[in-house]
């Protein structure tokens, strides 16, 4: 008996996996990414939800390779994602018309021999990484682009018809206009004729939440919240994030706790350094790094919110420049120096200031 499944990517948006599971979907193939380590922005969110709910899943990688080395590298990207989860279903190589089009733009013609060699390179690397290799093909490419005798791997076959034209497939993508509760719009539906990993993965117990998490490429705050069993609003509050859509690879987020009472929130500006901010507030950069979960003091970003410990000097003053003002005159008026004003406000030329501009004084 065939198992009912789906494959999804960023184009399905936010998926309600509880509804998907309730509809009898037995497995999912999730797009991990494409090309040179471009992680699908919804992958971690989808993978975390499937793992939490016990929905078995595999991963596919849309290829933009045009030689075997590049295809093997794409397999490494795919396997690296798989290692973060309990993946019991195949890692699939997805070579399609757009792969061939992109290669042609680079001056490379992908024919049957090269397509087969790249597919083998991807699948061999997947197998060496300890996962089940698979390759995806429609009827056209099955006939013209793949030497199946050189590809002893499971076939994920795509043909939108009442019956498939081949018999040696392990999985059949039979429509691209399927409808599944929990998914807005169309999605691909599949039958699997193999029950990889016995088709079941026990739902995970609630994981112990670590203290901090380093943002990875492709992460979203909602995906991180889902993975660690928290909420976007909680993460935003704990980390002083005003815009949940703005997080950065390498940024360190606190996953639990609450802002310490009496703290001041400071928004990092262009040109700021952690040591400069610490000096402005009468504290140390080590204290700021520890309080904000910053592993590398050199990695802060304009717009990032930093918690400033209570007891630090926070009496910051601002002045709005008026017609006729000079930076030296403003410095004299407030008992500071031109160089200090330049440093605080990232002013490269002290002779170029503009009426109406608000500058920081201390």
């Amino acid at each position: 008996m065939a198992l009912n499944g789906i494959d999804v990517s960023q184009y399905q948006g936010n998926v309600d996996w509880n509804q998907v599971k309730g509809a009898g979907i037995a497995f999912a193939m999730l797009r991990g990414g494409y090309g040179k380590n471009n992680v699908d922005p919804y992958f971690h969110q989808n993978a975390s939800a499937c793992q939490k709910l016990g929905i078995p899943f595999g991963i596919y990688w849309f290829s933009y390779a045009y030689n075997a080395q590049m295809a093997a590298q794409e397999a490494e990207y795919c396997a690296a994602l798989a290692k973060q989860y309990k993946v019991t279903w195949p890692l699939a190589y997805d070579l399609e018309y757009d792969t061939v089009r992109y290669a042609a733009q680079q001056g490379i013609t992908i024919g049957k021999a090269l397509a087969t060699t790249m597919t083998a390179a991807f699948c061999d690397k997947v197998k060496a990484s300890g996962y089940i290799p698979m390759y995806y093909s429609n009827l056209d490419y099955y006939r013209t682009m793949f030497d199946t005798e050189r590809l002893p791997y499971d076939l994920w076959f795509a043909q939108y018809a009442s019956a498939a034209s081949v018999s040696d497939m392990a999985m059949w993508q039979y429509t691209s206009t399927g409808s599944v509760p929990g998914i807005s719009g169309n999605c691909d539906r599949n039958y699997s004729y193999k029950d990889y990993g016995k088709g079941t993965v026990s739902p995970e117990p609630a994981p112990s939440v670590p203290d901090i998490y380093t943002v990875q490429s492709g992460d979203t705050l909602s995906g991180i919240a889902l993975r660690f069993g928290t909420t976007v609003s909680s993460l935003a509050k704990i980390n002083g994030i005003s815009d949940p859509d703005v997080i950065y690879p390498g940024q360190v987020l606190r996953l639990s706790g609450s802002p310490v009472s009496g703290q001041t929130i400071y928004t990092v500006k262009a040109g700021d350094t952690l040591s400069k901010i610490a000096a402005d507030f009468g504290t140390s950069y080590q204290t700021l790094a520890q309080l904000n979960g910053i592993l590398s003091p050199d990695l802060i970003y304009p717009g990032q919110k930093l918690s400033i410990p209570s007891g630090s000097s926070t009496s910051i003053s601002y002045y709005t420049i008026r017609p006729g003002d000079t930076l030296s005159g403003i410095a004299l008026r407030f008992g500071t120096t031109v160089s200090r004003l330049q440093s605080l406000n990232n002013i490269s030329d002290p002779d170029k200031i503009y009426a109406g501009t608000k500058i920081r004084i201390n």
Side-chain angles (χ1 to χ4, degrees), residues 201-217:
V201 179
S202 298
E204 278 201 327
S208 57
V209 178
D211 293 329
I212 59 173
Y213 173 75
T214 302
V215 177
Q216 307 296 313
S217 176

PDB file of all heavy atoms in Angstrom, residues 201-217:
ATOM      1  N   VAL A 201       8.279   8.066  13.092  1.00  0.00           N
ATOM      2  CA  VAL A 201       9.240   8.666  14.015  1.00  0.00           C
ATOM      3  C   VAL A 201       8.446   9.115  15.211  1.00  0.00           C
ATOM      4  O   VAL A 201       7.461   9.839  15.074  1.00  0.00           O
ATOM      5  CB  VAL A 201       9.973   9.869  13.381  1.00  0.00           C
ATOM      6  CG1 VAL A 201      10.935  10.483  14.385  1.00  0.00           C
ATOM      7  CG2 VAL A 201      10.721   9.451  12.121  1.00  0.00           C
ATOM      8  N   SER A 202       8.826   8.674  16.381  1.00  0.00           N
ATOM      9  CA  SER A 202       8.076   9.062  17.575  1.00  0.00           C
ATOM     10  C   SER A 202       8.167  10.563  17.782  1.00  0.00           C
ATOM     11  O   SER A 202       9.239  11.151  17.620  1.00  0.00           O
ATOM     12  CB  SER A 202       8.639   8.345  18.806  1.00  0.00           C
ATOM     13  OG  SER A 202       8.510   6.948  18.663  1.00  0.00           O
ATOM     14  N   PRO A 203       7.040  11.191  18.123  1.00  0.00           N
ATOM     15  CA  PRO A 203       7.097  12.626  18.430  1.00  0.00           C
ATOM     16  C   PRO A 203       8.125  12.891  19.517  1.00  0.00           C
ATOM     17  O   PRO A 203       8.276  12.122  20.463  1.00  0.00           O
ATOM     18  CB  PRO A 203       5.681  12.942  18.918  1.00  0.00           C
ATOM     19  CG  PRO A 203       4.831  11.897  18.282  1.00  0.00           C
ATOM     20  CD  PRO A 203       5.695  10.650  18.241  1.00  0.00           C
ATOM     21  N   GLU A 204       8.846  13.982  19.344  1.00  0.00           N
ATOM     22  CA  GLU A 204       9.892  14.310  20.296  1.00  0.00           C
ATOM     23  C   GLU A 204       9.325  14.783  21.625  1.00  0.00           C
ATOM     24  O   GLU A 204       8.326  15.519  21.646  1.00  0.00           O
ATOM     25  CB  GLU A 204      10.761  15.449  19.740  1.00  0.00           C
ATOM     26  CG  GLU A 204      11.809  14.988  18.772  1.00  0.00           C
ATOM     27  CD  GLU A 204      12.912  16.017  18.679  1.00  0.00           C
ATOM     28  OE1 GLU A 204      12.604  17.206  18.811  1.00  0.00           O
ATOM     29  OE2 GLU A 204      14.067  15.631  18.490  1.00  0.00           O
ATOM     30  N   PRO A 205       9.958  14.405  22.735  1.00  0.00           N
ATOM     31  CA  PRO A 205       9.614  15.066  23.989  1.00  0.00           C
ATOM     32  C   PRO A 205      10.084  16.512  23.914  1.00  0.00           C
ATOM     33  O   PRO A 205      10.949  16.837  23.107  1.00  0.00           O
ATOM     34  CB  PRO A 205      10.419  14.278  25.031  1.00  0.00           C
ATOM     35  CG  PRO A 205      11.568  13.695  24.265  1.00  0.00           C
ATOM     36  CD  PRO A 205      11.023  13.404  22.887  1.00  0.00           C
ATOM     37  N   ALA A 206       9.492  17.353  24.706  1.00  0.00           N
ATOM     38  CA  ALA A 206       9.891  18.763  24.700  1.00  0.00           C
ATOM     39  C   ALA A 206      11.380  18.862  25.020  1.00  0.00           C
ATOM     40  O   ALA A 206      11.835  18.354  26.039  1.00  0.00           O
ATOM     41  CB  ALA A 206       9.090  19.539  25.735  1.00  0.00           C
ATOM     42  N   PRO A 207      12.172  19.457  24.131  1.00  0.00           N
ATOM     43  CA  PRO A 207      13.609  19.511  24.356  1.00  0.00           C
ATOM     44  C   PRO A 207      13.949  20.501  25.458  1.00  0.00           C
ATOM     45  O   PRO A 207      13.219  21.456  25.702  1.00  0.00           O
ATOM     46  CB  PRO A 207      14.147  19.998  22.999  1.00  0.00           C
ATOM     47  CG  PRO A 207      13.032  20.813  22.437  1.00  0.00           C
ATOM     48  CD  PRO A 207      11.764  20.144  22.901  1.00  0.00           C
ATOM     49  N   SER A 208      15.087  20.231  26.108  1.00  0.00           N
ATOM     50  CA  SER A 208      15.571  21.224  27.067  1.00  0.00           C
ATOM     51  C   SER A 208      16.105  22.408  26.267  1.00  0.00           C
ATOM     52  O   SER A 208      16.851  22.236  25.304  1.00  0.00           O
ATOM     53  CB  SER A 208      16.674  20.624  27.936  1.00  0.00           C
ATOM     54  OG  SER A 208      17.738  20.147  27.131  1.00  0.00           O
ATOM     55  N   VAL A 209      15.703  23.585  26.631  1.00  0.00           N
ATOM     56  CA  VAL A 209      16.057  24.781  25.867  1.00  0.00           C
ATOM     57  C   VAL A 209      17.423  25.285  26.310  1.00  0.00           C
ATOM     58  O   VAL A 209      17.645  25.517  27.495  1.00  0.00           O
ATOM     59  CB  VAL A 209      14.998  25.886  26.074  1.00  0.00           C
ATOM     60  CG1 VAL A 209      15.391  27.134  25.310  1.00  0.00           C
ATOM     61  CG2 VAL A 209      13.636  25.392  25.633  1.00  0.00           C
ATOM     62  N   PRO A 210      18.375  25.424  25.390  1.00  0.00           N
ATOM     63  CA  PRO A 210      19.671  25.977  25.768  1.00  0.00           C
ATOM     64  C   PRO A 210      19.527  27.444  26.138  1.00  0.00           C
ATOM     65  O   PRO A 210      18.486  28.058  25.933  1.00  0.00           O
ATOM     66  CB  PRO A 210      20.514  25.796  24.496  1.00  0.00           C
ATOM     67  CG  PRO A 210      19.516  25.743  23.384  1.00  0.00           C
ATOM     68  CD  PRO A 210      18.289  25.092  23.969  1.00  0.00           C
ATOM     69  N   ASP A 211      20.592  28.000  26.667  1.00  0.00           N
ATOM     70  CA  ASP A 211      20.540  29.400  27.099  1.00  0.00           C
ATOM     71  C   ASP A 211      20.559  30.359  25.924  1.00  0.00           C
ATOM     72  O   ASP A 211      19.895  31.395  25.953  1.00  0.00           O
ATOM     73  CB  ASP A 211      21.704  29.706  28.046  1.00  0.00           C
ATOM     74  CG  ASP A 211      21.577  28.963  29.366  1.00  0.00           C
ATOM     75  OD1 ASP A 211      20.441  28.724  29.791  1.00  0.00           O
ATOM     76  OD2 ASP A 211      22.617  28.619  29.952  1.00  0.00           O
ATOM     77  N   ILE A 212      21.363  30.014  24.895  1.00  0.00           N
ATOM     78  CA  ILE A 212      21.527  30.922  23.768  1.00  0.00           C
ATOM     79  C   ILE A 212      21.476  30.135  22.462  1.00  0.00           C
ATOM     80  O   ILE A 212      21.637  28.914  22.442  1.00  0.00           O
ATOM     81  CB  ILE A 212      22.853  31.707  23.846  1.00  0.00           C
ATOM     82  CG1 ILE A 212      24.055  30.730  23.860  1.00  0.00           C
ATOM     83  CG2 ILE A 212      22.881  32.623  25.052  1.00  0.00           C
ATOM     84  CD1 ILE A 212      25.404  31.421  23.770  1.00  0.00           C
ATOM     85  N   TYR A 213      21.243  30.844  21.372  1.00  0.00           N
ATOM     86  CA  TYR A 213      21.248  30.247  20.037  1.00  0.00           C
ATOM     87  C   TYR A 213      21.874  31.243  19.068  1.00  0.00           C
ATOM     88  O   TYR A 213      21.558  32.435  19.113  1.00  0.00           O
ATOM     89  CB  TYR A 213      19.826  29.908  19.588  1.00  0.00           C
ATOM     90  CG  TYR A 213      19.743  29.445  18.139  1.00  0.00           C
ATOM     91  CD1 TYR A 213      20.169  28.174  17.767  1.00  0.00           C
ATOM     92  CD2 TYR A 213      19.280  30.301  17.149  1.00  0.00           C
ATOM     93  CE1 TYR A 213      20.117  27.749  16.459  1.00  0.00           C
ATOM     94  CE2 TYR A 213      19.223  29.886  15.819  1.00  0.00           C
ATOM     95  CZ  TYR A 213      19.646  28.606  15.485  1.00  0.00           C
ATOM     96  OH  TYR A 213      19.608  28.200  14.177  1.00  0.00           O
ATOM     97  N   THR A 214      22.752  30.758  18.210  1.00  0.00           N
ATOM     98  CA  THR A 214      23.381  31.605  17.204  1.00  0.00           C
ATOM     99  C   THR A 214      22.600  31.508  15.903  1.00  0.00           C
ATOM    100  O   THR A 214      22.409  30.417  15.362  1.00  0.00           O
ATOM    101  CB  THR A 214      24.842  31.190  16.960  1.00  0.00           C
ATOM    102  OG1 THR A 214      25.561  31.253  18.193  1.00  0.00           O
ATOM    103  CG2 THR A 214      25.509  32.137  15.953  1.00  0.00           C
ATOM    104  N   VAL A 215      22.119  32.630  15.400  1.00  0.00           N
ATOM    105  CA  VAL A 215      21.307  32.680  14.190  1.00  0.00           C
ATOM    106  C   VAL A 215      22.110  32.153  12.998  1.00  0.00           C
ATOM    107  O   VAL A 215      23.257  32.542  12.783  1.00  0.00           O
ATOM    108  CB  VAL A 215      20.826  34.121  13.922  1.00  0.00           C
ATOM    109  CG1 VAL A 215      20.039  34.196  12.605  1.00  0.00           C
ATOM    110  CG2 VAL A 215      19.973  34.628  15.079  1.00  0.00           C
ATOM    111  N   GLN A 216      21.478  31.260  12.227  1.00  0.00           N
ATOM    112  CA  GLN A 216      22.090  30.695  11.023  1.00  0.00           C
ATOM    113  C   GLN A 216      21.462  31.328   9.776  1.00  0.00           C
ATOM    114  O   GLN A 216      20.364  31.876   9.826  1.00  0.00           O
ATOM    115  CB  GLN A 216      21.867  29.178  10.987  1.00  0.00           C
ATOM    116  CG  GLN A 216      22.309  28.440  12.239  1.00  0.00           C
ATOM    117  CD  GLN A 216      23.794  28.525  12.485  1.00  0.00           C
ATOM    118  OE1 GLN A 216      24.586  28.310  11.561  1.00  0.00           O
ATOM    119  NE2 GLN A 216      24.186  28.837  13.714  1.00  0.00           N
ATOM    120  N   SER A 217      22.174  31.208   8.652  1.00  0.00           N
ATOM    121  CA  SER A 217      21.634  31.691   7.392  1.00  0.00           C
ATOM    122  C   SER A 217      20.310  30.992   7.096  1.00  0.00           C
ATOM    123  O   SER A 217      20.212  29.769   7.188  1.00  0.00           O
ATOM    124  CB  SER A 217      22.631  31.437   6.262  1.00  0.00           C
ATOM    125  OG  SER A 217      22.098  31.814   5.012  1.00  0.00           O
TER     126      SER A 217
END
